[in-house]
Amino acid sequence: MTAFALKESTLDPARAVFDQVVPSGRGFTGDLRRGQIFRVVDLEGNQAVDTLFFNSRDLDERYSATETIRAQGNIYLTTGTELMSSEGRPLLTIVADTCGRHDTIGGACSAESNQVRYALDKKHMHNCRDSFLLAMARYGRGMTKRDLPSNINFFMNVPVTPDGGLSFADGVSAPGRYVEMRAETDVLVLISNCPQLNNPCNAYNPTPVRLLVWDPPA
Ligand SMILES: [Zn+2]
């Protein structure tokens, strides 16, 4: 396995201005102000945290996997990655990462993908697409399924094989590992803490994550 360049944060959770645990299978929305630092902690290890970001002043500008991959010339996300918008501007920058690699090409699980990948009777199982839609509806700014572009899967290991395939592999994360990013503009965070029970990316055992926010240094 590749040796990842890991970077730890110096921020103290006791000084966070926001600190919340999101159980597996739940959606989440929250607003970040420019300059705030946002951390996602994989509390029990190998959880997949499906995540989208939007410019909260103009929701039509949203995270773009394509722009992000093109800007850095690499398909994996880690420290130094600028999470780019559909307008080619950085929404956030990853500033610390103790996992080392995050996916942005595997997509979010859905009722449809559950049937195609696993079995017809998996259709009604909980899935990220439904969690995203429910969280967006509760957020209440008129967002619908057309506002769901390709997402980030924090802590998820989706290696691209030498012959160009994708594999949903065992996670590379572990309990307590985290990824931390700085908001480069005012950002809406949309998360589905993946409930998937049919593939090994979360060890068939979805677990909670912890979200923290710090204000910009004075
Ligand atoms: Zn999922």
Side-chain angles (χ1 to χ4, degrees):
M1 178 179 292
T2 315
F4 300 132
L6 305 182
K7 185 168 191 312
E8 292 191 19
S9 169
T10 57
L11 293 174
D12 177 1
R15 304 185 84 94
V17 296
F18 178 88
D19 186 349
Q20 184 176 315
V21 170
V22 178
S24 62
R26 296 288 176 81
F28 170 87
T29 54
D31 287 293
L32 296 174
R33 291 194 320 277
R34 183 177 177 211
Q36 284 187 315
I37 304 287
F38 175 55
R39 182 189 293 182
V40 185
V41 186
D42 187 2
L43 288 174
E44 298 185 27
N46 288 350
Q47 177 59 4
V49 188
D50 292 48
T51 304
L52 284 165
F53 297 108
F54 300 79
N55 175 346
S56 54
R57 294 167 183 271
D58 174 9
L59 296 175
D60 287 337
E61 181 176 14
R62 67 279 304 268
Y63 174 74
S64 167
T66 318
E67 291 292 329
T68 299
I69 291 168
R70 191 174 64 80
Q72 68 173 4
N74 192 305
I75 57 173
Y76 302 120
L77 314 182
T78 187
T79 308
T81 297
E82 290 184 311
L83 304 175
M84 304 295 285
S85 78
S86 49
E87 303 299 320
R89 289 187 283 255
L91 291 172
L92 306 99
T93 304
I94 298 179
V95 293
D97 181 11
T98 63
C99 174
R101 185 159 95 180
H102 309 269
D103 166 74
T104 193
I105 51 181
C109 64
S110 64
E112 292 77 11
S113 69
N114 279 344
Q115 292 177 86
V116 171
R117 284 183 186 143
Y118 311 116
L120 288 178
D121 65 5
K122 307 294 188 191
K123 176 176 181 179
H124 302 290
M125 295 180 71
H126 293 277
N127 65 79
C128 283
R129 192 173 172 81
D130 287 348
S131 294
F132 276 148
L133 291 170
L134 184 59
M136 283 163 59
R138 287 183 172 146
Y139 185 66
R141 287 179 63 184
M143 299 165 82
T144 66
K145 59 185 175 184
R146 71 177 183 172
D147 297 303
L148 287 181
S150 297
N151 58 286
I152 297 167
N153 294 303
F154 285 123
F155 309 110
M156 187 160 140
N157 186 27
V158 186
V160 172
T161 62
D163 59 357
L166 280 182
S167 59
F168 289 76
D170 279 342
V172 292
S173 188
R177 297 205 181 184
Y178 59 83
V179 58
E180 194 173 284
M181 58 217 94
R182 179 182 62 239
E184 306 295 0
T185 187
D186 292 347
V187 168
L188 164 64
V189 181
L190 173 64
I191 286 176
S192 163
N193 192 20
C194 185
Q196 185 54 253
L197 291 168
N198 298 292
N199 82 46
C201 67
N202 52 18
Y204 306 96
N205 177 32
T207 49
V209 293
R210 181 182 179 190
L211 308 178
L212 299 113
V213 177
W214 288 266
D215 278 338

